[in-house]
Amino acid sequence: MTASASTGRAVRIAVVGAGVSGLVAAYRLRQALGATAVVDVFDASDTPGGLLSSRRLDGQLLDSGAESFIVRRPEAVGLIEELGLADRVVRPTSRRPAILAGGRLRDLPRPTLMGIPANAGQVVDLAEPADVERMRGDVGRPMDWTPGSDRSVGELVADRFGRSVVDRSVDPMLSGVYSCRSDDIGLRASLPALAARLDSGAPDLTSAVNGLLPPPSTAPVFGALDGGYRLLVDRLVSAGGATMHLGSPVASVDAEGAGWTVTTDSGRQTSHDAVVVALPAPAAAAVVATAAPHVARGVATVATASTALVMLALAPDVALPDHSGVLMATGEATTAKAITLSSQKWAHLATAGGPGLVRASFGRYGDPVDHLSDDDLVAAAVTDLSTVVELAGASRSITAADLVDATVQRWPVGLPRYAPGHRELVTSALADVPPGLVFCGAAYDGVGVPACIARAGVAAAQVVTHLADRGPHGGGTMGS
């Protein structure tokens, strides 16, 4: 049993934010603190899950945020197994993504390090000839790198391999992961292993990249859940046993003696022994502005991308290209940054006589789509998809008449920008966090689902350590 020694009451923890980070933190707290601990989860939305959201499309409940996870990282795979969902994991088909560059569909270079090619031969049909030669001359050319420094991924790759390699190989990949072009993303936060390799004296970018590529493998990189991320969200809510306060946006988190007070927008206040803030950076900064102004000032500087996802269901007779999707190079005459051919990529979404399912992604940091209406976004998705199928050799274009259904999911505050210096910024912002206040989410240690799961576990462990450190004279004690 876990109880507050000074009052005899059960330990009470608040988790502000019911995205995957908040739900995992609540679940880990339940495991660590036992059944008697009170865990309150607050969220502005009426449904938990955050970016792990779902929408109905032609009667099917489909992921309308993140749709997959990297299987080479253990966090998502391990959590799914732990929650009894291993039998629902599916792998993508053998179809490969393409890149739309220079008005043509081209093969995605492989293997690469987040789009950074390993050798010039991979981009002969993709990059400008002068940049292919520049890449060939990378080995032996003096490297301009100061250990411990940071610069944008785009700046580094353009310097060593040429701008067309950035626009046509690196940008398409990083835009899909970070909703940013590579010129807006710092190397040290997004590719720390590459920065470390350069710090340790790699003589050139080619050597550094090749030293980090995994051994050749036919194993899939990504996995998904048959039934969508909603399965994981529901299982986390159930296993975490938290009291869910949905539709309850938090106005502030404030220190109260040795504990904390959470105040919702409605004015309701609750007292807690510790608080986990699992919100996007702007919202996190707002709720702790008074209690932790230093943290708030730092976290508030983390910009976010405004994005949108259009999901299309197409008539069964519409022929889709034999790809899993298409990434768009910088400078192409398209509005979407990527198109996922979902029913081509995932076998469990392809049903005989059923619709073709497509996801079109819009928006990056510095290139928002807020000015476009839902109808505009659907029209743009149809236009860009038609361009793709025509380039793939289809006998006819796709029009609005081919739509069975369409839905739009907007993310006005989407993924955080990991700008150059991001890691130092986060370290500085969280250096003087008051005891009992911890942070997790995509703004800190990575934007993917596995990274968020890992950070949430760290946050829960920090709470447990805080409660143990307080001891019987600090208002809390740990026990079983």
Side-chain angles (χ1 to χ4, degrees):
M1 185 177 77
T2 303
S4 171
S6 61
T7 65
R9 65 170 172 79
V11 164
R12 188 169 188 173
I13 311 298
V15 178
V16 185
V20 64
S21 297
L23 294 179
V24 171
Y27 169 61
R28 295 302 183 202
L29 286 166
R30 174 64 63 213
Q31 289 180 306
L33 301 179
T36 60
V38 177
V39 181
D40 292 305
V41 177
F42 299 85
D43 200 273
S45 175
D46 291 331
T47 56
L51 290 175
L52 303 190
S53 65
S54 303
R55 286 282 186 107
R56 289 209 172 271
L57 183 71
D58 192 34
Q60 298 185 69
L61 190 63
L62 301 172
D63 288 321
S64 56
E67 66 156 1
S68 62
F69 51 88
I70 297 175
V71 298
R72 291 174 182 169
R73 285 194 60 156
E75 296 89 352
V77 174
L79 180 64
I80 287 168
E81 292 176 350
E82 187 178 330
L83 293 171
L85 294 171
D87 62 335
R88 303 300 294 271
V89 174
V90 292
R91 301 289 189 258
T93 66
S94 60
R95 293 184 176 92
R96 298 286 304 164
I99 288 181
L100 174 55
R104 292 171 45 203
L105 291 183
R106 307 164 189 250
D107 291 336
L108 183 74
R110 58 182 304 193
T112 69
L113 184 68
M114 291 299 287
I116 305 175
N119 61 74
Q122 294 175 308
V123 294
V124 168
D125 188 47
L126 186 63
E128 292 296 322
D131 289 340
V132 174
E133 291 306 309
R134 183 172 186 81
M135 189 173 175
R136 286 182 173 138
D138 176 64
V139 176
R141 191 165 73 245
M143 188 77 190
D144 180 19
W145 178 263
T146 302
S149 66
D150 200 8
R151 61 198 296 193
S152 77
V153 176
E155 180 188 6
L156 174 66
V157 178
D159 175 46
R160 304 301 299 186
F161 292 171
R163 176 51 58 177
S164 67
V165 175
V166 173
D167 292 345
R168 301 175 187 177
S169 184
V170 187
D171 270 0
M173 184 69 70
L174 290 183
S175 287
V177 175
Y178 289 94
S179 292
C180 289
R181 292 190 172 92
S182 53
D183 285 337
D184 295 315
I185 303 173
L187 181 73
R188 197 163 289 280
S190 62
L191 292 167
L194 179 57
R197 182 69 60 130
L198 296 175
D199 286 346
S200 65
D204 48 69
L205 185 57
T206 300
S207 301
V209 169
N210 277 277
L212 293 172
L213 293 175
S217 172
T218 58
V221 176
F222 297 101
L225 288 170
D226 183 359
Y229 267 126
R230 179 53 49 189
L231 292 176
L232 178 64
V233 169
D234 291 345
R235 194 63 60 91
L236 281 170
V237 170
S238 175
T243 301
M244 304 296 295
H245 304 272
L246 301 176
S248 298
V250 168
S252 68
V253 173
D254 300 288
E256 177 194 21
W260 295 88
T261 296
V262 171
T263 305
T264 65
D265 278 3
S266 67
R268 180 190 177 200
Q269 293 187 322
T270 49
S271 297
H272 303 270
D273 295 288
V275 177
V276 178
V277 178
L279 295 171
V287 302
V288 302
T290 300
H294 171 74
V295 177
R297 285 192 297 271
V299 173
T301 64
V302 179
T304 59
S306 175
T307 62
L309 177 73
V310 176
M311 303 169 66
L312 306 176
L314 302 165
D317 62 341
V318 173
L320 294 174
D322 194 28
H323 296 289
S324 60
V326 178
L327 306 177
M328 311 302 183
T330 296
E332 293 304 304
T334 57
T335 307
K337 65 185 178 186
I339 290 176
T340 303
L341 304 172
S342 300
S343 52
Q344 300 279 78
K345 181 177 181 179
W346 303 103
H348 69 286
L349 297 181
T351 56
L357 303 177
V358 174
R359 292 160 48 107
S361 301
F362 296 85
R364 304 177 182 86
Y365 170 77
D367 184 22
V369 291
D370 303 327
H371 62 289
L372 297 176
S373 68
D374 286 4
D375 287 344
D376 290 336
L377 287 170
V378 171
V382 171
T383 297
D384 291 347
L385 178 61
S386 185
T387 296
V388 165
V389 300
E390 289 173 12
L391 291 173
S395 58
R396 69 176 183 86
S397 60
I398 293 176
T399 70
D402 294 308
L403 291 183
V404 174
D405 196 8
T407 188
V408 177
Q409 174 73 63
R410 292 181 181 270
W411 302 108
V413 180
L415 295 178
R417 178 197 178 200
Y418 276 31
H422 179 83
R423 293 183 72 179
E424 291 75 14
L425 183 155
V426 168
T427 298
S428 174
L430 301 184
D432 297 311
V433 178
L437 182 66
V438 301
F439 294 80
C440 61
Y444 307 102
D445 290 330
V447 301
V449 171
C452 289
I453 291 171
R455 175 77 190 196
V458 170
Q462 289 173 331
V463 169
V464 173
T465 298
H466 166 69
L467 296 175
D469 288 346
R470 287 169 60 179
H473 302 293
T477 184
M478 294 293 299
S480 58

